[in-house]
Amino acid sequence: MNNFIVESISSDLHISGVKCFNLALSLDCGQAFRWEEQSDGSFSGVAFGKHLNILQKGELLIFKNTSKEDFESLWLHYFALDTDYEEICKRISQDSYIAPAVEKFYGIRVLNQEPWETLVSFVISQQNNIKRIKLIINRLCTRYGVCIDGENYTFPDANTLSKLSVSDFEELGTGYRAKYLDRLAKGVASGEISLEKIKALSLEEARKELLKIYGVGEKVANCALLFGFEFYGAFPVDVWMKRVMKNYPNGLPECFSGVEGIAQQYLFHYQRTDVKE
DNA sequence: GTCCAGGCATGCA
DNA sequence: TGCATGCATGGA
């Protein structure tokens, strides 16, 4: 289970005894696009309008300049430290194809990101590569987010983006997705699309609602559901996962039930890094 | 130069 | 309902 210890040391927060957690893999496996590795091996990013620097040393996590309150109300859940990943990994590893993927990339966690940021990010992600997705999102935040501390920017909210034009989005390099982003921002800002309501629905109902959004298809909907709406049963299939699916001609194994999306993250990374054999 | 990337909307059968 | 096609951009 999660028997970690939380200690304040000067202005930092040290979390020790963290099992089944790999920070670098979790932040760099194509689910989040705003974390950058620093020269000391730590990662810096922004979520919930706050800048965070975090460093992992084995089973120790160091949250720089972080209060216990912020850890408990924000980061604990964001990094899924309230979920028993040891148990999940053990369970899905009953499947012989995923077992080496889980072993090789042990500690990848599905983050609990914010719905709006996740939905926008994955609309941008379509027919795009991870490096360029990060570049575009970085431009979006620098240009339209709020500067927190002189160098870090928040992810711009729907209200702010609803005031832009299609060509403003095009200038960010979003290409043909600009019109999708324009309509999405206006829809959420006007209340026509309610992400809170969608989050409260069942997986199937939530997916149905997301699919109504212009520019959101099966793949983007599933990514948003998994990474931003906490539906761990959502199972995104992209070009990489299509290759993986050849190994499951009869559908997904029973041991993935309820955490198909978490299993997917291991399979996706395994396939993408191409380290088999 | 060509191919590809965490796809989707559209038109047509 | 299912399939072919066009679509922006930049790195390999």
Side-chain angles (χ1 to χ4, degrees):
Chain A
M1 249 321 265
N2 305 297
N3 294 316
F4 50 77
I5 299 160
V6 181
E7 288 175 285
S8 288
I9 295 181
S10 70
S11 58
D12 303 338
L13 211 61
H14 286 215
I15 317 296
S16 50
V18 180
K19 314 274 191 191
C20 193
F21 184 99
N22 187 314
L23 182 69
L25 288 177
S26 301
L27 296 180
D28 196 29
C29 63
Q31 61 174 321
F33 304 102
R34 296 205 65 202
W35 293 93
E36 290 300 333
E37 188 168 9
Q38 308 299 302
S39 53
D40 64 352
S42 68
F43 284 82
S44 279
V46 178
F48 311 110
K50 290 176 187 255
H51 172 254
L52 175 67
N53 177 267
I54 176 173
L55 174 65
Q56 176 168 30
K57 285 183 181 175
E59 294 186 356
L60 172 68
L61 295 177
I62 301 170
F63 288 73
K64 286 275 178 196
N65 292 311
T66 302
S67 68
K68 224 166 199 170
E69 289 69 36
D70 277 356
F71 174 74
E72 283 169 4
S73 65
L74 303 174
W75 307 119
L76 174 74
H77 188 55
Y78 182 88
F79 289 104
L81 292 166
D82 49 2
T83 300
D84 190 349
Y85 266 74
E86 284 185 283
E87 192 276 324
I88 291 170
C89 285
K90 204 163 151 188
R91 179 148 67 87
I92 62 179
S93 291
Q94 291 170 53
D95 172 63
S96 61
Y97 182 75
I98 204 174
V102 172
E103 192 179 351
K104 186 88 189 171
F105 299 109
Y106 195 67
I108 290 182
R109 292 191 176 219
V110 169
L111 305 173
N112 293 116
Q113 302 180 73
E114 297 162 273
W116 166 249
E117 174 173 338
T118 309
L119 185 53
V120 171
S121 297
F122 280 93
V123 166
I124 292 169
S125 81
Q126 63 186 84
Q127 193 65 16
N128 215 335
N129 59 65
I130 292 176
K131 192 175 175 185
R132 216 167 72 84
I133 297 164
K134 290 175 100 165
L135 188 73
I136 292 168
I137 292 174
N138 187 43
R139 283 200 285 249
L140 175 74
C141 295
T142 312
R143 215 169 287 184
Y144 300 109
V146 176
C147 187
I148 310 168
D149 51 11
E151 55 174 332
N152 295 290
Y153 294 81
T154 63
F155 193 93
D157 61 26
N159 227 352
T160 304
L161 295 188
S162 72
K163 296 181 176 72
L164 306 191
S165 64
V166 174
S167 60
D168 288 330
F169 284 110
E170 281 172 348
E171 278 177 27
L172 299 169
T174 58
Y176 71 90
R177 309 162 196 84
K179 54 189 181 294
Y180 303 153
L181 297 167
D182 177 67
R183 271 216 235 169
L184 175 60
K186 288 176 169 67
V188 171
S190 73
E192 188 194 332
I193 300 167
S194 169
L195 304 185
E196 293 73 26
K197 280 184 189 165
I198 290 172
K199 193 169 173 179
L201 298 171
S202 67
L203 172 57
E204 288 70 26
E205 289 296 314
R207 185 185 287 118
K208 207 162 90 184
E209 286 305 307
L210 288 177
L211 287 173
K212 290 179 185 169
I213 299 171
Y214 183 56
V216 175
E218 201 71 35
K219 162 65 175 53
V220 170
N222 281 322
C223 281
L225 289 166
L226 174 61
F227 303 128
F229 291 80
E230 306 187 18
F231 286 104
Y232 309 123
F235 191 84
V237 178
D238 68 338
V239 290
W240 298 101
M241 285 306 294
K242 275 178 189 157
R243 295 162 197 164
V244 170
M245 291 310 286
K246 288 179 183 162
N247 300 286
Y248 296 103
N250 304 314
L252 299 176
E254 173 62 26
C255 64
F256 289 6
S257 177
V259 290
E260 291 88 345
I262 294 173
Q264 188 269 4
Q265 236 4 48
Y266 285 93
L267 294 169
F268 171 75
H269 202 66
Y270 191 50
Q271 182 68 38
R272 195 167 75 94
T273 50
D274 198 30
V275 293
K276 294 180 293 306
E277 297 191 80

